[in-house]
Amino acid sequence: MAEIKSLKSKKKRTESSRRWLIRQLNDPFVQKAAKDGYRSRAAYKLIEVQEKFKLLKSGSLVVDLGCTPGGWLQVSRKYVGKAGKVIGLDINFMEPIPGAEFIQADFLTEEGLLKLQDVLDGRKCDIVLSDMAAPSCGMPKVDHLRIMNLLEIAYEFALNHLNEGGCFVAKVLKGGTEQELLKDMKKSFKIVEHFKPKSSRQDSAEQYVVAMDFRG
Ligand SMILES: C[S@@+](CC[C@H](N)C(=O)[O-])C[C@H]1O[C@@H](n2cnc3c(N)ncnc32)[C@H](O)[C@@H]1O
């Protein structure tokens, strides 16, 4: 069994930040990410999506919404190779990742969308990824609405910017995608599935909607 690490530092922390830090220190995916050179444990979620659905291909143009600190960008870069292009956007700053273009902007603003469209310069994408999540406010209903809002806006972007045959992968909360949105997705994509990676914390309501083969 893995050794349980505890906090020896005398630094004053709130109880919730103490719990978060202890969980991070003991999380095997956090340790694995540090060893493998990934910037986040989230990288393994996209690796699992890729192993199951084989979406990222050599030469793909990928847009990654909510990309900081950059784990999904690193994974995408690896699969699309030199012929591909990876563009990430986040409201927070990120140290650059070689071979990936980064835009710092709020995707919920018109300015954010325009910046991204500017970089795309009329090109359509093969894959739109969205791991966007607003920080939890502790009220499950509000958290759910916020994440659904991010999902809907990312979906709208995907509809307008994907190539025919393209894919959309986005974070949703347990209970899956809202029925109306799911119905719409099934009309726009030939295959729509929900997927909970093993690296997604089992006590978290997070899962992913994977929509494949955009009808255009
Ligand atoms: C779970 S993290 C993404 C982790 C990332 N996939 C990785 O592999 O490192 C969620 C990200 O969504 C971003 N985010 C939340 N709301 C956003 C918004 N309105 N516009 C842009 N980014 C947003 C947050 O800043 C945060 O960095």
Side-chain angles (χ1 to χ4, degrees):
M1 208 167 105
E3 180 196 350
I4 304 293
K5 293 186 181 145
S6 58
L7 288 175
K8 289 205 177 106
S9 156
K10 296 261 186 300
K11 199 171 155 188
K12 272 209 163 162
R13 297 176 206 274
T14 62
E15 189 46 38
S16 70
S17 88
R18 239 179 75 81
R19 273 203 307 269
W20 179 85
L21 200 52
I22 290 174
R23 189 165 76 159
Q24 284 294 99
L25 290 170
N26 290 291
D27 183 326
F29 286 103
V30 171
Q31 292 162 9
K32 191 166 160 51
K35 206 171 105 231
D36 295 346
Y38 286 122
R39 289 190 181 177
S40 61
R41 70 185 299 294
Y44 298 101
K45 300 176 195 172
L46 185 60
I47 290 172
E48 284 187 62
V49 168
Q50 174 65 8
E51 281 170 357
K52 185 164 164 68
F53 300 101
K54 313 269 184 290
L55 308 176
L56 297 157
K57 298 196 174 82
S58 170
S60 297
L61 196 167
V62 181
V63 164
D64 180 11
L65 303 170
C67 64
T68 295
W72 283 27
L73 288 179
Q74 291 175 297
V75 173
S76 299
R77 266 260 42 101
K78 210 170 101 186
Y79 284 99
V80 305
K82 283 202 176 109
K85 183 156 185 68
V86 178
I87 304 164
L89 178 146
D90 203 289
I91 198 166
N92 289 325
F93 174 74
M94 186 192 77
E95 289 297 337
I97 286 180
E101 199 154 339
F102 175 63
I103 303 160
Q104 186 174 6
D106 182 347
F107 193 61
L108 297 180
T109 63
E110 196 183 349
E111 191 199 351
L113 177 63
L114 290 176
K115 278 188 181 174
L116 182 51
Q117 283 173 334
D118 212 35
V119 171
L120 281 170
D121 197 20
R123 285 168 300 183
K124 294 241 169 176
C125 328
D126 300 301
I127 305 177
V128 173
L129 305 171
S130 171
D131 199 17
M132 280 191 289
S136 167
C137 70
M139 288 185 277
K141 270 196 180 156
V142 178
D143 286 344
H144 185 82
L145 286 173
R146 281 184 180 166
I147 224 162
M148 287 312 299
N149 185 37
L150 289 167
L151 169 67
E152 278 176 24
I153 288 169
Y155 176 60
E156 185 73 25
F157 173 82
L159 290 185
N160 291 320
H161 295 86
L162 272 179
N163 277 320
E164 195 178 328
C167 321
F168 174 62
V169 178
K171 192 199 286 286
V172 296
L173 292 183
K174 213 179 190 158
T177 316
E178 300 290 334
Q179 281 313 308
E180 213 164 303
L181 185 60
L182 194 59
K183 238 202 262 168
D184 198 277
M185 272 187 196
K186 285 181 175 167
K187 275 193 215 146
S188 305
F189 292 84
K190 290 192 187 147
I191 306 166
V192 180
E193 291 191 20
H194 283 101
F195 178 60
K196 171 92 177 165
K198 289 195 183 72
S199 49
S200 171
R201 291 193 169 99
Q202 296 310 300
D203 60 354
S204 129
E206 168 191 86
Q207 56 177 317
Y208 292 88
V209 63
V210 183
M212 291 163 278
D213 215 344
F214 181 51
R215 293 179 202 272

